[in-house]
Amino acid sequence: MTAQRTAASSVATTLTTLENLIQLDTEATVGDLDLLVNVNKHAAERYRAMADAAVGLETDAEYLKTKYAEVNKYIKQVDELDERVGDLEKIVKELEEWTGELEIKVRRLAPPKR
């Protein structure tokens, strides 16, 4: 009978040890799963923040497009004025050249001073 008790005691000890092992393994797995849940929650929060930022950027982009359209008409006006100023500068240069030529001709035609 002692052999049976020893065998029963060994089986009971083995089952208790196996039960403890399974319990610890389950607790470790639950801990890992809890950690994954927390990581996923933080990732979801970050993605929500990024999505909000993207919406804000989209709104800002639309605002900047409208402002650029408003400013663009003035840019075109400045470009036209710049082109006109360039044309006027060419005309002034031609007039200065003609004036110089006329001064030379007038000096040739004028009687010498005594």
Side-chain angles (χ1 to χ4, degrees), residues 98-109:
W98 291 347
T99 302
E101 290 174 11
L102 282 173
E103 287 176 354
I104 292 171
K105 287 180 183 179
V106 167
R107 284 185 196 144
R108 285 184 194 158
L109 295 175

Side-chain angles (χ1 to χ4, degrees), residues 33-48:
L33 291 174
D34 287 341
L35 179 63
L36 284 174
V37 166
N38 288 334
V39 168
N40 283 338
K41 283 180 185 177
H42 291 295
E45 288 173 9
R46 282 194 313 255
Y47 287 130
R48 262 186 246 109

Side-chain angles (χ1 to χ4, degrees), residues 2 8 13 26 28 36 50 55 62 69 76 79 86 95 103-106 110:
T2 306
T13 304
T26 302
L36 284 174
M50 290 171 65
V55 168
E62 291 172 10
K76 288 180 181 179
D79 289 342
L95 286 173
E103 287 176 354
I104 292 171
K105 287 180 183 179
V106 167

Side-chain angles (χ1 to χ4, degrees), residues 83-96:
E83 186 177 324
R84 288 181 186 167
V85 166
D87 292 342
L88 287 173
E89 287 174 345
K90 289 177 187 175
I91 292 171
V92 167
K93 183 177 178 182
E94 284 182 36
L95 286 173
E96 286 176 349

Side-chain angles (χ1 to χ4, degrees), residues 11-83:
V11 168
T13 304
T14 302
L15 288 176
T16 302
T17 303
L18 186 59
E19 180 184 353
N20 288 338
L21 176 65
I22 291 172
Q23 180 65 30
L24 291 173
D25 189 47
T26 302
E27 288 174 5
T29 302
V30 168
D32 289 344
L33 291 174
D34 287 341
L35 179 63
L36 284 174
V37 166
N38 288 334
V39 168
N40 283 338
K41 283 180 185 177
H42 291 295
E45 288 173 9
R46 282 194 313 255
Y47 287 130
R48 262 186 246 109
M50 290 171 65
D52 292 344
V55 168
L57 288 174
E58 185 176 348
T59 303
D60 291 346
E62 291 172 10
Y63 173 78
L64 289 175
K65 283 179 186 176
T66 59
K67 288 300 176 185
Y68 178 75
E70 291 175 13
V71 170
N72 197 31
K73 63 184 173 186
Y74 297 114
I75 291 173
K76 288 180 181 179
Q77 289 176 358
V78 168
D79 289 342
E80 289 173 7
L81 286 174
D82 185 47
E83 186 177 324

